Structures are given as C-alpha cells and as structure tokens.
Amino acid sequence: MLSLQEREHKKGMFAKKTSENIKKYTELYAEFCQNGYTKALAEDYADFFVENAKKPAHGDIIQTAQLFDRLHDFKSAAFYLERLEDVVKKMTHEEKFLYCIEALKNKSKLGNWRDAEDFRTENINFMQIYSDKVDMNQKADMYIALAHSDCAARHYSSAFRLLTGFGYKPQGRNDVKLLEILITGVYICAKSGDTASVENAVNNARAALGLFKEFEHGWSKSYYETRIAEAAEGIA
C-alpha cells in the first residue's frame, strides 16, 4: 500500500486531496502499518474510496484490486478491475500500465489463461514501450505479471526466462522486489510439479529473506515467510 507521500506524488491518479480524504487515508495507512494486508483494510478502503465516492479515481480502483490480490481474493480483485475496462482509453499512460499489470496478473491467477493470453497480446506493445520509462521496480512488476500469464498457460520454462532474463539487479540486503521475484519463482516451480526445483527455489527465497537487516513493518518478516510457504504449495 502506498504511503501518503507516495500517493501525493502521483498527482491525478487518486481521489482529490481533501481534508476528509487525507484523514481517511492516513487512518487506513496507519492500520496497514500495524496489521498488514487484512480483509477489513481492503473492504474499508473499497467502501470509502470506491463504493461511496461520486467518481472513483482510477488509481483508487487499481489499489483496491491490489489489496484484494494480496489476500488471494482474486474474484474481488477482478470485480474492481472490471470497472476499468470501459475507461482504459481515458487513462493516463501510467494508469494504463498499472492497470495492465494487475489485470494480466489477475486473469492468470484465476486460471483464465486464454483471457490472459488475449489480454497480453492486445496490450504487450504498450506495456513494453512504456516500461522503458519506468524504474526497475515497476519493470519487475510487469515481468512478474507476464511470468504469471506464461505459468497459467503451462509454459513454465518461458515463465522462468521472463523472471531471470530482464536484467534485474539486486538493490542491497533489504530488497523486497527481489524477494517478490523469487517468491514468484517458487510458485512457478510448484505449478510445474518439479519437486526438486521447488525445494531449490524455496531455499533461494529464504536465503534472500535471511539477508534482511530490517523490515519496513513489524509484520513484514512473518508475511514473507508465509508467502514463501504458500507459493511452495502452489498458492499465488
């Protein structure tokens, strides 16, 4: 979940800056910092910034989908992403890029591999061109989503090549994005059915987690430990 400062930096993507919106987001972010990704957080965010908003901002709908994705509630995430299908042409390029990543990932995690492939074919040129303008973290998010689509279509070797071949460079000991890449690798191994590769991927992810000297939130370490364990069971 974006911090208040990160949210304010992305002008135009989210609800207009009002005292009420700032107060509510501050409360929700404080809850996130304390308890992490919870159903209550996702539902409260959705109620305030989407369901009860006169005209929900594209960024708020995308972030709502992201919160439900973190809870493995892919149907709820899809419900919110579907609200954006008819307004893609009205999005900024940044909004469309983020939407494409979430939509592709969501279709893949739901097992709708044909829909994921069609969506990928339709949007891959835009995603690749725009990815040259973003930082490495956002580019990694795109390749993680692409790897999920290959995994859903059972193209496991291609999925691994996507994760390892785009040139991500580790960013110190506390590299959360590297951890996300490695956890995705664990998931792909699990879905492929290769038991030996699952064990190796789990060891790599745990080794990366073990390098962390500090965590952003008190719940972060246990959260990623759970993510690794779930990925090893084929849970996205």
Side-chain angles (χ1 to χ4, degrees):
M1 186 173 180
L2 295 176
S3 69
L4 187 60
Q5 292 73 25
E6 290 170 327
R7 180 183 176 87
E8 291 179 346
H9 182 68
K10 295 180 178 293
K11 296 180 179 179
M13 276 187 60
F14 298 96
K16 291 183 178 179
K17 186 177 178 181
T18 66
S19 57
E20 183 181 16
N21 288 344
I22 293 173
K23 178 182 179 182
K24 184 62 178 180
Y25 196 85
T26 301
E27 291 174 355
L28 290 173
Y29 189 70
E31 180 183 338
F32 167 73
C33 292
Q34 181 67 33
N35 301 315
Y37 298 100
T38 65
K39 183 178 180 180
L41 173 68
E43 291 179 344
D44 199 7
Y45 187 96
D47 285 343
F48 187 90
F49 287 102
V50 180
E51 301 297 348
N52 295 319
K54 290 183 179 180
K55 188 177 180 181
H58 298 154
D60 283 317
I61 298 175
I62 293 169
Q63 185 158 242
T64 298
Q66 291 171 333
L67 291 174
F68 281 110
D69 173 75
R70 290 288 189 169
L71 300 172
H72 311 302
D73 187 349
F74 306 128
K75 289 185 178 180
S76 292
F79 171 78
Y80 286 100
L81 289 169
E82 285 168 5
R83 295 190 178 197
L84 295 171
E85 290 178 353
D86 296 332
V87 296
V88 174
K89 292 182 179 180
K90 298 180 181 179
M91 292 180 181
T92 65
H93 284 176
E94 181 179 13
E95 290 170 346
K96 182 178 177 181
F97 184 70
L98 295 175
Y99 163 73
C100 285
I101 288 172
E102 290 305 314
L104 181 59
K105 190 169 56 176
N106 181 257
K107 293 176 190 297
S108 303
K109 290 183 178 182
L110 282 170
N112 300 331
W113 67 271
R114 287 188 184 276
D115 289 343
E117 285 197 343
D118 289 344
F119 185 88
R120 175 175 174 167
T121 299
E122 182 180 350
N123 294 285
I124 189 61
N125 286 341
F126 163 77
M127 294 175 72
Q128 289 181 328
I129 292 171
Y130 188 77
S131 70
D132 290 335
K133 302 177 182 180
V134 303
D135 62 28
M136 186 55 74
N137 284 342
Q138 287 182 298
K139 184 172 288 190
D141 289 337
M142 181 186 75
Y143 279 98
I144 288 172
L146 291 170
H148 270 290
S149 68
D150 269 347
C151 183
R154 300 183 180 182
H155 300 150
Y156 304 117
S157 296
S158 296
F160 276 115
R161 284 196 295 271
L162 283 167
L163 284 180
T164 59
F166 71 96
Y168 185 82
K169 296 180 181 179
Q171 302 172 42
R173 297 176 65 95
N174 307 317
D175 191 342
V176 171
K177 193 59 64 178
L178 175 62
L179 197 53
E180 292 284 352
I181 294 170
L182 292 173
I183 290 172
T184 304
V186 174
Y187 171 75
I188 294 170
C189 287
K191 299 301 286 186
S192 74
D194 187 340
T195 305
S197 67
V198 172
E199 183 177 357
N200 184 57
V202 167
N203 289 338
N204 288 338
R206 287 176 175 167
L209 183 60
L211 291 175
F212 276 64
K213 285 188 173 182
E214 59 183 7
F215 295 90
E216 185 175 4
H217 307 294
W219 48 266
S220 294
K221 183 178 181 180
S222 61
Y223 169 74
Y224 285 111
E225 288 173 342
T226 299
R227 285 277 308 280
I228 294 169
E230 288 176 337
E233 296 297 323
I235 300 172

